[in-house]
């Protein structure tokens, strides 16, 4: 009932992973209210944040705490009592700066409150010693009385206060030692995180080189595809040439038939028979040459088709490897982005 809010903002809340002490674990699914509270009765300050009905931050600020800005929109502090490290992600750098300034202000106020408490304890201790001495002199002078009883009661209270003060000093020493150990763990975690970032950078460089190599391979395959297209055009031309040769062959066969008919119909032209025979032989030789050319062209077409199928298979295999490499690169970029966001 004695606590009052003195500063309020909104941020995403994170806590350090207790198992690894490296990664951040989100404590809230969205930005929540984070407030500074001042307890008038105890003269203490706390940072409190509630997500629905769940308290995700309940951190009492001590003079030994330090709020550290790790990026333009992210800050953290260690709480030895809660044995964890809290992290806050803000929507702007201005909000982070205001929160950090308020943290320093509250930390200074907590230090002044502690110093005043120690001064009161020391003053009470000195007053107790003086009262005890005066009480002894009064006893010697006046033996006993109501004042003596009151002084004894005051002495008992001061002794209790001194005992509590000593216990608080031990408690603060333990808290200081815990903070030192926590700072050492945080330093180790930061060093490990830096090493991890360097490793990710090296892997990213390797992936980038691999990507450049694959791009060069793609360019080579595209050049091969262009060559395939040229082969296709050449095959098309060869097909047209074959059709022309086949038509020419048909014409020659028709001419040969006509010549044979003429030789049968006009047996009296024996003198011209030799000429027709020579022409027929020449036509047959031409026909044989044309058939040889057709067979050669068909062989060229088959070889071209085989090369084309082989190039298609190789291109398909390379594209599958390329898709896998691109997927690995996307996964790697998402891991790198996540790591950057965590840091």
């Amino acid at each position: 009932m004695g606590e009052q809010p003195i500063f309020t903002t909104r941020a995403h809340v994170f806590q350090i992973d207790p198992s690894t002490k490296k990664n951040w674990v989100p404590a809230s699914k969205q930005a929540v209210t984070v407030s500074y509270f001042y307890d008038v009765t105890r003269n203490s300050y706390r940072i409190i944040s509630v997500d629905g009905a769940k308290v995700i931050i309940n951190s009492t600020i001590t003079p030994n705490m330090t709020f550290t800005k790790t990026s333009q929109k992210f800050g953290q502090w260690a709480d030895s009592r809660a044995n964890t490290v809290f992290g806050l992600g803000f929507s702007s750098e201005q909000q982070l700066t205001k929160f950090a300034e308020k943290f320093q202000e509250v930390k200074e106020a907590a230090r002044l409150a502690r110093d005043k408490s120690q001064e009161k304890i020391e003053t009470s201790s000195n007053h107790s010693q003086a009262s005890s001495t005066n009480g002894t002199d009064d006893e010697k002078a006046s033996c006993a009385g109501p004042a003596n009883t009151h002084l004894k009661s005051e002495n008992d209270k001061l002794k209790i206060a001194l005992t509590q003060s000593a216990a608080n000093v031990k408690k603060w020493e333990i808290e200081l030692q815990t903070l030192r150990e926590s700072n050492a763990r945080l330093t180790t975690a930061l060093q490990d995180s830096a090493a991890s970032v360097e490793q990710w950078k090296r892997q990213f460089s390797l992936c980038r080189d691999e990507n450049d190599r694959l791009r060069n391979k793609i360019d080579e395959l595209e050049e091969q595809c262009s060559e395939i297209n040229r082969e296709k055009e050449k095959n098309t031309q060869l097909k047209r040439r074959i059709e022309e040769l086949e038509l020419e062959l048909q014409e020659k066969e028709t001419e040969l038939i006509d010549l044979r008919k003429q030789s049968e119909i006009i047996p009296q032209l024996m003198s011209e028979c030799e000429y027709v025979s020579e022409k027929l032989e020449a036509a047959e030789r031409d026909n044989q040459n044309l058939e040889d050319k057709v067979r050669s062209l068909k062989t060229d077409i088959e070889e071209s088709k085989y090369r084309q199928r082989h190039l298609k298979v190789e291109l398909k295999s390379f594209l599958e490897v390329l898709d896998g490499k691109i997927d690995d690169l996307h996964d790697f970029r998402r891991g790198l982005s996540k790591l950057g966001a965590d840091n």
Side-chain angles (χ1 to χ4, degrees):
M1 296 297 293
E3 285 186 311
Q4 299 177 356
I6 58 176
F7 180 82
T8 300
T9 186
R10 293 184 67 82
H12 292 271
V13 180
F14 299 86
Q15 289 187 9
I16 200 72
D17 191 346
S19 59
T20 63
K21 298 295 183 181
K22 295 180 182 179
N23 301 325
W24 290 105
V25 178
S28 62
K29 297 181 180 179
Q30 57 187 358
V32 295
T33 301
V34 181
S35 303
Y36 286 93
F37 279 85
Y38 172 61
D39 191 340
V40 180
T41 305
R42 299 181 180 179
N43 194 19
S44 62
Y45 297 87
R46 289 196 301 169
I47 299 176
I48 296 177
S49 178
V50 180
D51 186 9
K54 180 182 177 182
V55 178
I56 55 178
I57 298 180
N58 185 7
S59 177
T60 301
I61 299 176
T62 63
N64 298 322
M65 287 184 176
T66 301
F67 185 81
T68 304
K69 295 181 181 179
T70 57
S71 66
Q72 293 183 350
K73 298 181 182 180
F74 192 86
Q76 66 183 46
W77 77 95
D79 190 340
S80 60
R81 294 182 180 178
N83 193 24
T84 188
V85 180
F86 293 102
L88 296 179
F90 296 90
S91 60
S92 65
E93 186 177 0
Q94 291 77 9
Q95 291 182 349
L96 174 60
T97 302
K98 290 181 180 179
F99 188 90
E101 292 175 351
K102 195 64 179 180
F103 192 97
Q104 186 65 28
E105 178 184 339
V106 170
K107 172 184 173 182
E108 184 65 21
R111 185 186 65 80
L112 293 175
R114 185 189 66 179
D115 294 343
K116 289 181 180 180
S117 177
Q118 290 179 351
E119 289 177 0
K120 288 181 179 180
I121 292 172
E122 291 175 357
T123 303
S124 299
S125 177
N126 294 332
H127 179 70
S128 174
Q129 292 176 359
S131 299
S132 298
T133 304
N134 294 332
T136 304
D137 294 338
D138 292 338
E139 286 178 359
K140 292 179 181 179
S142 61
C143 295
N148 188 22
T149 304
H150 178 70
L151 288 174
K152 287 183 177 181
S153 176
E154 290 294 330
N155 288 336
D156 294 336
K157 291 180 180 179
L158 290 174
K159 288 178 181 180
I160 294 173
L162 287 173
T163 303
Q164 293 178 351
S165 176
N168 289 333
V169 169
K170 292 181 179 180
K171 181 179 179 181
W172 291 333
E173 290 177 351
I174 295 172
E175 182 177 352
L176 177 60
Q177 182 63 27
T178 303
L179 285 174
R180 288 175 179 172
E181 294 175 355
S182 178
N183 288 335
R185 289 195 299 270
L186 285 174
T187 302
T188 303
L190 288 174
Q191 292 175 353
D192 294 339
S193 178
S196 179
V197 169
E198 291 298 328
Q199 183 179 1
W200 279 110
K201 287 181 179 179
R202 288 193 296 271
Q203 292 182 357
F204 178 74
S205 178
L206 293 175
C207 289
R208 185 173 55 189
D209 295 339
E210 180 69 14
N211 189 23
D212 294 337
R213 189 184 67 79
L214 291 174
R215 288 181 184 275
N216 295 331
K217 185 65 176 177
I218 289 174
D219 294 337
E220 294 177 359
L221 289 174
E222 288 178 350
E223 182 65 24
Q224 292 179 1
C225 288
S226 300
E227 185 177 355
I228 291 173
N229 292 330
R230 290 192 294 269
E231 290 292 334
K232 287 182 178 179
E233 293 177 358
K234 186 177 180 181
N235 290 337
T236 303
Q237 294 175 359
L238 290 174
K239 287 181 179 179
R240 287 197 298 267
R241 180 60 180 166
I242 289 172
E243 292 175 355
E244 292 175 357
L245 291 174
E246 287 178 350
L247 290 175
E248 186 177 352
L249 180 61
Q250 290 178 359
E251 291 177 357
K252 294 295 183 181
E253 288 178 350
T254 303
E255 184 178 355
L256 180 60
I257 293 172
D258 293 337
L259 288 173
R260 286 177 178 176
K261 287 181 180 179
Q262 290 178 4
S263 64
E264 292 176 356
I265 294 173
I266 310 175
Q268 65 272 13
L269 298 176
M270 297 300 295
S271 60
E272 296 180 0
C273 184
E274 294 178 358
Y275 174 75
V276 172
S277 298
E278 292 177 357
K279 190 174 182 180
L280 179 61
E281 291 176 357
E284 288 178 349
R285 286 194 298 272
D286 292 337
N287 185 24
Q288 184 65 33
N289 292 331
L290 289 175
E291 288 179 353
D292 293 338
K293 288 182 180 180
V294 169
R295 285 194 294 272
S296 177
L297 289 175
K298 287 183 178 180
T299 303
D300 293 338
I301 291 173
E302 291 297 327
E303 290 179 356
S304 178
K305 288 182 178 180
Y306 174 77
R307 288 178 58 190
Q308 184 176 357
R309 287 194 299 271
H310 181 69
L311 288 174
K312 284 183 179 180
V313 172
E314 184 180 358
L315 180 60
K316 182 177 179 182
S317 176
F318 176 77
L319 290 176
E320 291 176 354
V321 174
L322 180 60
D323 290 338
K325 293 291 184 180
I326 292 174
D327 292 338
D328 293 341
L329 182 59
H330 287 329
D331 294 339
F332 172 74
R333 286 181 174 174
R334 285 195 293 270
L336 186 60
S337 299
K338 183 178 179 182
L339 180 61
D342 292 340
N343 289 333

